[in-house]
Amino acid sequence: MGAQERERKVYRPLRRAGLEVIPNGVPDGTMPFVLGYRDEDIVGGFSHPYDTPRLVERLNEEWYDLAVSSGLLDHRREFLVQLPQGTRTHRASLQNMHSGRRTASWTRVRLLNRWDIMGRGAASAFLGIHAGHPGFAMMALDGSVYVSASTGEIGVDVIAVGHPEGSENILQFLEWFALRDSPYSGRELQKRIAVWLAGRTSSAASRSDR
C-alpha cells in the first residue's frame, strides 16, 4: 500500500476517531502479541450490555479512565494499537477480523483532543465492528499494560492486563502459539513471536552472565 493510499484508507479513518498515527514509531523489542492471560493477570476493566443507555458515551468515558489509571497513555498521550496487516478497505479489515488469521502488528498513535474510540473508532473497522461494538488491542509504549476490548453475545468487555511480558501464563501461551501447526495462526506472526521469545531469552542469559 502506497503512502497516499495508506493515508486515505487507514490514517484518515483513525484520525476521525481521534488517533493520529505516528509512522515507524513502535519501540524496538515490543512484545508482538498478547494472549493467554488469566484472571490473576487482569488489573482492571469494565463490561456493559448492549442495551446500556448512552452506551458509546459510557464506553468512551470508562475507556479513558482505564487508559489513564492503568498507564496506557504516556505524557504525550501516545500508545500502541494493533492494526491488521495488509488492510486495504473497511470491508477487507472486517474480513480479516473474522477470518481467524492473526496478522496484526503494532502501530504507534497519539490521542487527539477530540476523540471517539468507541463510536467512530469502532465504526472504522480498525477498532471494532461498528459504533458501540469495539474490538481492539492496545499497549503502553513501555509494555507495562495491555488493554483489550471485545464484543460478545450480550455486551462489551474491556480488560487491562498488567506487565504482560512478565506473565508466565502469557509467555507459555506464546511459546505454544509459535510452534502451533495451523493455517489460522498466521505464519508471519508466529515468526515474529519466535524471534521475540529468542531475543528475550538471549537478553536474560546476558544479564545472568554479568
Side-chain angles (χ1 to χ4, degrees):
M1 187 188 302
Q4 291 184 342
E5 186 180 15
R6 188 178 296 109
E7 167 66 28
R8 179 169 58 88
K9 293 182 177 179
V10 181
Y11 295 178
R12 194 176 300 168
L14 289 172
R15 197 177 299 116
R16 284 196 294 267
L19 294 179
E20 178 187 359
V21 173
I22 303 172
N24 305 314
V26 178
D28 292 338
T30 295
M31 193 175 195
F33 195 63
V34 178
L35 203 63
Y37 46 82
R38 298 182 182 177
D39 289 347
E40 60 265 29
D41 300 309
I42 297 174
V43 296
F46 56 89
S47 299
H48 285 296
Y50 295 127
D51 59 1
T52 300
R54 301 183 302 111
L55 176 62
V56 170
E57 183 178 346
R58 292 193 63 180
L59 290 173
N60 272 330
E61 290 173 352
E62 296 193 35
W63 170 82
Y64 185 75
D65 288 344
L66 182 63
V68 172
S69 64
S70 67
L72 176 67
L73 310 179
D74 76 351
H75 66 283
R76 294 180 298 270
R77 294 168 35 119
E78 294 179 8
F79 59 100
L80 303 175
V81 62
Q82 229 162 28
L83 298 180
Q85 289 182 327
T87 295
R88 294 293 190 274
T89 63
H90 182 280
R91 177 178 295 180
S93 185
L94 285 175
Q95 289 173 344
N96 184 88
M97 186 184 302
H98 295 294
S99 69
R101 296 180 182 274
R102 305 184 187 277
T103 57
S105 60
W106 294 112
T107 297
R108 186 169 181 163
V109 296
R110 178 183 296 115
L111 187 68
L112 301 175
N113 289 332
R114 298 183 64 179
W115 54 268
D116 183 9
I117 300 297
M118 300 295 189
R120 289 190 299 272
S124 72
F126 297 115
L127 303 177
I129 302 170
H130 54 77
H133 286 63
F136 58 69
M138 300 172 174
M139 190 155 66
L141 294 179
D142 63 1
S144 60
V145 65
Y146 168 84
V147 175
S148 171
S150 61
T151 55
E153 292 184 5
I154 62 173
V156 178
D157 297 304
V158 180
I159 60 96
V161 175
H163 301 286
E165 286 189 12
S167 166
E168 289 300 323
N169 297 321
I170 294 172
L171 293 174
Q172 288 175 9
F173 179 89
L174 292 182
E175 290 170 357
W176 168 83
F177 184 87
L179 298 174
R180 183 187 182 204
D181 185 14
S182 169
Y184 297 105
S185 295
R187 300 301 186 192
E188 178 60 32
L189 179 58
Q190 286 182 302
K191 290 178 182 177
R192 285 193 281 127
I193 289 174
V195 168
W196 181 81
L197 288 170
R200 186 176 184 276
T201 301
S202 297
S203 297
S206 296
R207 288 194 298 269
S208 65
D209 291 338
R210 292 173 185 172

